[in-house]
Amino acid sequence: MKTLITALWSKLTVVLVLVSLNSFAQKKANVVILATGGTIAGAASTGVQSGYTSGQVTIDAMVNAVPDITKLANIKGEQISNVGSQDMSFEIMLKLAKRIAELTQQGGLDGIVITHGTDTMEETAYFLNLVCKTDLPIVLVGSMRPSTAVSADGPLNLYNAVAVAADPNAKKRGVLLVMNDWIHSAQSLTKVSTTAVQTFMSPLNGLIGISNYGTNEFYRFPFNKYGSQSEFSVDNVTKLPRVDIIYADADMPADLVDASVEHGAKGIVIAGVGNGNMNKAGLEACERAAKKGVVIVRSSRVVTGNVGRNVEVDDDKMGFVASYDHNPQKSRILLMVALLKQRSNADLQKIFYEY
């Protein structure tokens, strides 16, 4: 009897192991990579030169260059565009948003990775964070060195990005950016170096987490509204309203504001000095614009800190909106999306506080 029980127990153990292994195999995540180009898809004639051409390598070639990446997830690649991010357009951003909506509605997907150039990555990330209504991870990734460089950073960045997209713990954290082992929120990240591989920082709110050779550790969730909480939609949108950014400086000429209004801007973001400030001529020009119905948002050219309402500038009197913690480029994205419907200045100020 004892021998029979031992034999049965051995068989049961084998069955349980096989079921466990099969279950693990079935749980392998499904990740789609949407490629847009950028330095991560760039190439140069040698491995030791700073000059290169963006958007030369296809997504299939990038994935094939990282063999172990397929151990992380079942991967499918789609080429949305192949441009340097200096040429990223709202046409491509809208195409991305609508493709993400299609993919997430189909089901069977665990996460999305977007390869993108770093120059305008924070704008695309923040745009998608506002308009993509999904709890699935959407992870942007890029590189500071082209694929042909000695010590190229793209392959490991892509590996870590797929690891984050495939991680169930990345859900409900909004749009993320993964580069150089760091996981950033689209809300807080900004590019701080022209060439360093550690080019992205989240100076106000800190990191979401880290990804070290595909092993992830998460610290927090984003603080403001995003994803499924967002009120914004671009389902039937083909064009976004024009919003300009004007850089404030010493003895700022007011005619830049006037020219922006004359050329049809629906909103103007001032990259102000200090706490979103500008000289008297600039303030007067912005007040004139506001009276014509152009929305004026005061942001700051300073890298960190909030722009407060009614601090040095009487926003109530002049009809301005304070950007709070949004830098000029994110302020522009948020205002463009918000202006897809008619809103009062009070409504817009509330949006800048909540998002």
Side-chain angles (χ1 to χ4, degrees):
M1 177 62 72
K2 185 176 179 181
T3 304
L4 178 61
I5 292 173
T6 302
L8 289 172
W9 179 252
S10 299
K11 288 182 179 179
L12 179 60
T13 301
V14 170
V15 169
L16 288 173
V17 169
L18 290 174
V19 169
S20 178
L21 290 171
N22 186 52
S23 175
F24 178 78
Q26 289 177 348
K27 288 181 180 179
K28 192 174 180 182
N30 296 311
V31 173
V32 171
I33 303 177
L34 303 178
T36 68
T39 303
I40 195 170
S45 56
T46 74
V48 290
Q49 67 182 67
S50 58
Y52 62 93
T53 303
S54 297
Q56 299 299 298
V57 182
T58 66
I59 184 56
D60 291 337
M62 279 192 281
V63 171
N64 290 335
V66 192
D68 286 345
I69 203 170
T70 54
K71 296 178 182 177
L72 297 172
N74 301 311
I75 296 172
K76 177 185 176 185
E78 296 182 17
Q79 199 79 43
I80 300 294
S81 64
N82 213 352
V83 300
S85 68
Q86 71 274 13
D87 289 319
M88 179 54 59
S89 65
F90 288 107
E91 180 183 359
I92 298 174
M93 288 189 201
L94 287 167
K95 186 177 180 182
L96 274 171
K98 292 174 182 180
R99 183 58 183 145
I100 289 169
E102 291 171 353
L103 289 169
T104 54
Q105 288 166 13
Q106 288 172 5
L109 186 65
D110 296 289
I112 294 171
V113 171
I114 300 169
T115 60
H116 195 294
T118 60
D119 286 352
T120 57
M121 186 182 284
E122 65 183 283
E123 286 149 277
T124 300
Y126 189 56
F127 173 76
L128 297 175
N129 200 53
L130 294 172
V131 304
C132 292
K133 300 180 185 299
T134 178
D135 291 332
L136 293 181
I138 300 172
V139 182
L140 274 76
V141 65
S143 72
M144 292 301 290
R145 297 169 181 162
S147 61
T148 52
V150 172
S151 192
D153 53 327
L156 184 55
N157 286 345
L158 183 60
Y159 183 86
N160 285 337
V162 170
V164 172
D167 191 334
N169 291 318
K171 290 181 179 179
K172 298 185 178 182
R173 296 182 193 267
V175 174
L176 304 171
L177 182 147
V178 174
M179 278 188 60
N180 214 38
D181 298 348
W182 286 4
I183 307 172
H184 300 268
S185 165
Q187 291 179 353
S188 57
L189 71 97
T190 191
K191 187 174 182 179
V192 298
S193 174
T194 56
T195 57
V197 292
Q198 194 68 288
T199 189
F200 285 103
M201 304 289 283
S202 292
L204 288 178
N205 298 325
L207 297 176
I208 293 292
I210 58 172
S211 181
N212 186 16
Y213 292 99
T215 300
N216 308 319
E217 184 177 352
F218 294 92
Y219 304 146
R220 67 177 182 89
F221 287 83
F223 302 124
N224 297 339
K225 286 185 177 180
Y226 58 90
S228 58
Q229 309 163 18
S230 176
E231 66 196 85
F232 304 118
S233 173
V234 291
D235 288 348
N236 299 308
V237 174
T238 57
K239 187 177 181 181
L240 294 167
R242 174 172 172 167
V243 173
D244 295 341
I245 298 175
I246 295 178
Y247 197 89
D249 46 23
D251 205 17
M252 172 185 173
D255 56 3
L256 294 176
V257 177
D258 297 330
S260 184
V261 174
E262 290 169 8
H263 284 82
K266 302 302 180 185
I268 297 173
V269 175
I270 302 295
V273 297
N275 195 354
N277 214 336
M278 66 200 95
N279 63 5
K280 182 180 178 181
L283 285 170
E284 290 174 348
C286 286
E287 190 173 17
R288 288 195 302 271
K291 288 177 179 177
K292 293 179 181 178
V294 178
V295 179
I296 304 295
V297 174
R298 292 187 307 105
S299 184
S300 178
R301 69 186 198 180
V302 181
V303 176
T304 65
N306 290 342
V307 173
R309 184 171 179 81
N310 295 323
V311 180
E312 294 183 72
V313 176
D314 193 337
D315 294 301
D316 291 340
K317 178 184 175 182
M318 294 185 164
F320 300 163
V321 174
S323 70
Y324 292 123
D325 60 350
H326 299 81
N327 64 19
Q329 51 269 40
K330 286 198 181 79
S331 294
R332 178 177 180 243
I333 295 294
L334 181 54
L335 186 56
M336 293 176 88
V337 173
L339 289 178
L340 288 170
K341 63 181 287 187
Q342 190 71 31
R343 301 178 195 269
S344 67
N345 266 22
D347 291 336
L348 290 169
Q349 188 63 81
K350 185 171 182 283
I351 283 170
F352 269 82
Y353 181 75
E354 293 180 344
Y355 288 86

